[in-house]
Amino acid sequence: MTRAVQIFLEYKVKEDSIKEYEKTMEDVLAGLEKFGASQVDWYEAADQGSLYVEMFKLPTMSHYDTIKKYRQDKDHPLFGKLDPFIEGGCKKVHCWAFIQKT
């Protein structure tokens, strides 16, 4: 049995781009489902200004490898829209995958 993979993304948004970033995230969050994401959560850090985190589940590590590649690609038609808003651009989106232990 294959267990879902818990994905954690973290990045810092430019202070002067937060409104545009949050508006663009509406499309990004909707688009994640097309890549197999479920249980999608999106957070802003309470104690660190303009730090954002996304957490969601993917069915396989192959899905994760694809999402990681796309999320760090400024030329991706959906995820690349975030590039101007992220400190250092899309290549600064930190991605981790976790398998739940029983």
Side-chain angles (χ1 to χ4, degrees):
M1 179 176 107
T2 305
R3 285 184 283 183
V5 182
Q6 179 68 49
I7 308 305
F8 180 90
L9 304 180
E10 176 263 335
Y11 47 88
K12 196 146 177 94
V13 173
K14 296 175 184 172
E15 297 263 341
D16 61 352
S17 299
I18 289 175
K19 281 189 178 186
E20 297 94 330
Y21 157 76
E22 289 184 350
K23 180 70 176 148
T24 303
M25 276 301 290
E26 294 173 16
D27 294 334
V28 169
L29 294 171
L32 280 171
E33 291 182 14
K34 295 175 183 155
F35 291 92
S38 63
Q39 299 178 30
V40 178
D41 291 310
W42 177 41
Y43 299 94
E44 179 181 7
D47 63 346
Q48 296 183 57
S50 68
L51 182 73
Y52 288 82
V53 168
E54 299 168 46
M55 289 186 280
F56 49 89
K57 293 198 182 227
L58 290 172
T60 67
M61 280 301 293
S62 292
H63 285 80
Y64 168 68
D65 293 336
T66 300
I67 284 280
K68 182 177 180 178
K69 177 181 158 192
Y70 290 164
R71 289 304 297 263
Q72 294 176 332
D73 180 1
K74 67 181 179 76
D75 296 321
H76 188 273
L78 175 60
F79 303 124
K81 292 178 182 180
L82 295 174
D83 188 72
F85 311 131
I86 296 172
E87 293 275 350
C90 286
K91 66 181 181 275
K92 291 294 189 175
V93 173
H94 304 287
C95 306
W96 295 275
F98 298 93
I99 305 291
Q100 185 172 9
K101 301 300 281 182
T102 54

